[in-house]
């Protein structure tokens, strides 16, 4: 787990090889975002530009927003078809 700028980047978020820096870049270059509620929890789902790899133009990211406003990133991957159809 990495914690930086009030953002927690979990081990599961890094399983596809992307980093907190990749997530921060995508968050500064958002293409689409949606906030939703599930089981009383608030989640933020975004796609944003990826830097450095023309084969991966954008990332899909899912994070939980805690009661204190902290972001917990638990999913980061190259954007896949159907990402916006789920959750």
């Amino acid at each position: 787990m990495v914690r930086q700028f009030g953002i927690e980047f979990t081990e599961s978020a890094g399983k596809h090889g992307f980093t907190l820096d990749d997530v921060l870049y995508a968050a500064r270059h958002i293409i689409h975002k949606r906030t939703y509620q599930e089981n009383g929890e608030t989640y933020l789902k975004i796609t944003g530009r990826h830097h450095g790899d023309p084969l991966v133009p954008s990332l899909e990211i899912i994070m939980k927003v805690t009661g204190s406003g902290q972001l917990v990133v638990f999913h980061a991957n190259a954007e896949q078809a159907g990402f916006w159809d789920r959750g």
Side-chain angles (χ1 to χ4, degrees), residues 3-19:
R3 195 177 302 236
Q4 187 177 352
F5 306 116
I7 300 171
E8 183 178 320
F9 186 81
T10 65
E11 187 176 324
S12 67
K15 77 178 185 179
H16 297 293
F18 297 102
T19 66

Side-chain angles (χ1 to χ4, degrees), residues 22-38:
D22 294 324
V23 169
L24 292 173
Y25 185 89
R28 286 191 302 272
H29 299 89
I30 290 178
I31 299 166
H32 190 243
K33 70 177 178 176
R34 179 170 67 206
T35 302
Y36 65 97
Q37 303 281 321
E38 188 173 287

Side-chain angles (χ1 to χ4, degrees), residues 2-84:
V2 175
R3 195 177 302 236
Q4 187 177 352
F5 306 116
I7 300 171
E8 183 178 320
F9 186 81
T10 65
E11 187 176 324
S12 67
K15 77 178 185 179
H16 297 293
F18 297 102
T19 66
L20 179 55
D21 286 337
D22 294 324
V23 169
L24 292 173
Y25 185 89
R28 286 191 302 272
H29 299 89
I30 290 178
I31 299 166
H32 190 243
K33 70 177 178 176
R34 179 170 67 206
T35 302
Y36 65 97
Q37 303 281 321
E38 188 173 287
N39 299 323
E41 303 283 345
T42 301
Y43 294 88
L44 178 61
K45 190 173 181 174
I46 70 168
T47 50
R49 301 275 178 236
H50 181 240
H51 59 97
D53 186 347
L55 297 177
V56 181
S58 60
L59 298 183
E60 59 182 49
I61 300 162
I62 306 174
M63 57 191 95
K64 179 179 172 181
V65 183
T66 68
S68 64
Q70 179 180 353
L71 300 175
V72 180
V73 180
F74 62 90
H75 174 78
N77 195 11
E79 185 176 5
Q80 305 292 308
F83 177 67
W84 290 106

